[in-house]
Amino acid sequence: MTATGESPAGTDGLIGVEVAYATPREQLIIAVQVPAGSCAADAIELSAIRARFPEIPAEPEVGIFSRRIVLTQRLQAGDRVEIYRPLIADPKEVRRRKALSDREARQKGA
């Protein structure tokens, strides 16, 4: 066992990872033991997180600690697989519209 309580890969062939998903109202992080050599998709399936959040697509966008990865990315002990929700609006487009609106408001006030 390591200081964090995880079995190093090789002892029992399992590594500890987390699977995380959040909605505007709820955040869930599930700790799961996966076989060494598992990928992000394996961890998502073993976590059974879709039972709680059925809206998660079959092939979601994912990352490890805010760094985007592919579902086939091999995991290391301690990784947190984050499942990303689709954006409702493009942030660049929102900023562009706000800047245009602010500019028009200034012109009307001048």
Side-chain angles (χ1 to χ4, degrees):
M1 292 288 231
T2 66
T4 61
E6 295 175 0
S7 297
T11 305
D12 58 5
L14 299 176
I15 59 171
V17 299
E18 296 177 328
V19 176
Y21 184 72
T23 69
R25 297 174 195 251
E26 182 178 11
Q27 174 182 326
L28 182 63
I29 299 174
I30 300 172
V32 63
Q33 296 285 315
V34 298
S38 293
C39 65
D42 298 331
I44 292 169
E45 289 307 313
L46 288 171
S47 74
I49 199 164
R50 284 191 180 99
R52 179 83 173 264
F53 300 102
E55 69 273 15
I56 296 173
E59 294 188 14
E61 295 290 323
V62 296
I64 295 177
F65 295 115
S66 300
R67 183 182 51 86
R68 283 202 185 259
I69 62 163
V70 294
L71 285 168
T72 56
Q73 170 77 40
R74 298 286 176 219
L75 300 176
Q76 298 179 6
D79 281 348
R80 182 180 63 222
V81 178
E82 301 159 340
I83 303 170
Y84 302 132
R85 290 180 293 120
L87 293 177
I88 295 171
D90 179 2
K92 290 180 185 178
E93 181 63 22
V94 170
R95 286 191 299 271
R96 187 189 69 74
R97 286 184 190 163
K98 183 176 181 336
L100 182 60
S101 175
D102 290 349
R103 188 174 331 140
E104 288 172 354
R106 283 194 304 273
Q107 288 174 349
K108 287 180 182 177

